[in-house]
């Protein structure tokens, strides 16, 4: 059924979805900085995203080993930018993710990079394989970032006196 659809329609559709999801992430991140955070809020995104690995059960999404390494390496490089711009602050006895003015521009930059790379690479790499590569890139960016956030959160949490309940 899907094999009859020209691949450029997949690129257009996935680009629209990427823009939607990128906007969604920015809105969620901006709202999250208004509420205290906790370990669960830091850990859940990579766990939820890991379910996307189920795509690799299907042949069209499988990625050759060298491209796995390339996508993971790019994701890890990008994660350093997110790690550098994600800081926490203590307000009373609660820990908040500090709003970074650069974060929105970084997310927009990453989104633009992804769209441009997808358009360029879709001419030489199968669309399904490309989807797998971009999932690997995104997961390799999200996981180290969230681990770094969790480590930073735990260090800060140890400095706060226990709440009186």
């Amino acid at each position: 059924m899907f094999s009859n659809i020209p691949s450029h329609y997949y690129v257009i559709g996935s680009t629209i979805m990427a823009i939607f999801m990128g906007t969604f992430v920015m809105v969620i991140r901006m709202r999250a900085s208004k509420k205290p955070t906790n370990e669960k809020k830091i850990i859940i995104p990579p766990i939820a995203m890991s379910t996307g690995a189920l795509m690799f059960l299907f042949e069209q999404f499988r990625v050759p080993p060298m491209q796995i390494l390339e996508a993971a390496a790019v994701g890890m490089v990008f994660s350093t930018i997110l790690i550098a711009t994600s800081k926490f602050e203590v307000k009373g006895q609660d820990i908040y993710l500090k709003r970074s003015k650069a974060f929105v521009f970084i997310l927009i930059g990453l989104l633009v990079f992804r769209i441009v790379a997808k358009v360029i690479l879709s001419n030489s790499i199968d669309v399904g394989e490309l989807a797998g590569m971009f999932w690997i890139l995104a997961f390799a960016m999200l996981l180290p970032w969230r681990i770094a956030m969790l480590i930073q959160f735990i260090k800060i949490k140890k400095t706060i006196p226990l709440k009186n309940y």
Side-chain angles (χ1 to χ4, degrees), residues 49 68 70-76 78 110 113-114 131-142:
M49 188 180 174
I68 291 171
E70 291 168 357
V74 171
M76 286 185 219
F78 287 161
L110 290 172
F113 169 82
R114 180 182 175 186
M133 286 179 67
F134 276 106
W135 183 89
I136 293 166
L137 185 151
F139 193 72
M141 181 173 61
L142 181 70

Side-chain angles (χ1 to χ4, degrees), residues 119-139:
V119 169
I120 292 169
L121 293 173
S122 67
N123 293 323
S124 59
I125 299 174
D126 180 66
V127 175
E129 196 175 305
L130 195 56
M133 286 179 67
F134 276 106
W135 183 89
I136 293 166
L137 185 151
F139 193 72

Side-chain angles (χ1 to χ4, degrees), residues 87-151:
K87 304 292 179 212
F88 292 101
E89 62 184 343
V90 177
K91 293 181 183 175
Q93 290 187 318
D94 294 316
I95 302 172
Y96 290 79
L97 190 57
K98 199 184 267 189
R99 235 182 212 199
S100 167
K101 292 177 179 135
F103 187 77
V104 172
F105 297 109
I106 290 167
L107 277 184
I108 291 170
L110 290 172
L111 185 61
V112 168
F113 169 82
R114 180 182 175 186
I115 291 168
V116 169
K118 186 188 310 174
V119 169
I120 292 169
L121 293 173
S122 67
N123 293 323
S124 59
I125 299 174
D126 180 66
V127 175
E129 196 175 305
L130 195 56
M133 286 179 67
F134 276 106
W135 183 89
I136 293 166
L137 185 151
F139 193 72
M141 181 173 61
L142 181 70
L143 189 62
W145 174 40
R146 291 301 176 137
I147 290 170
M149 284 176 69
L150 183 61
I151 291 168

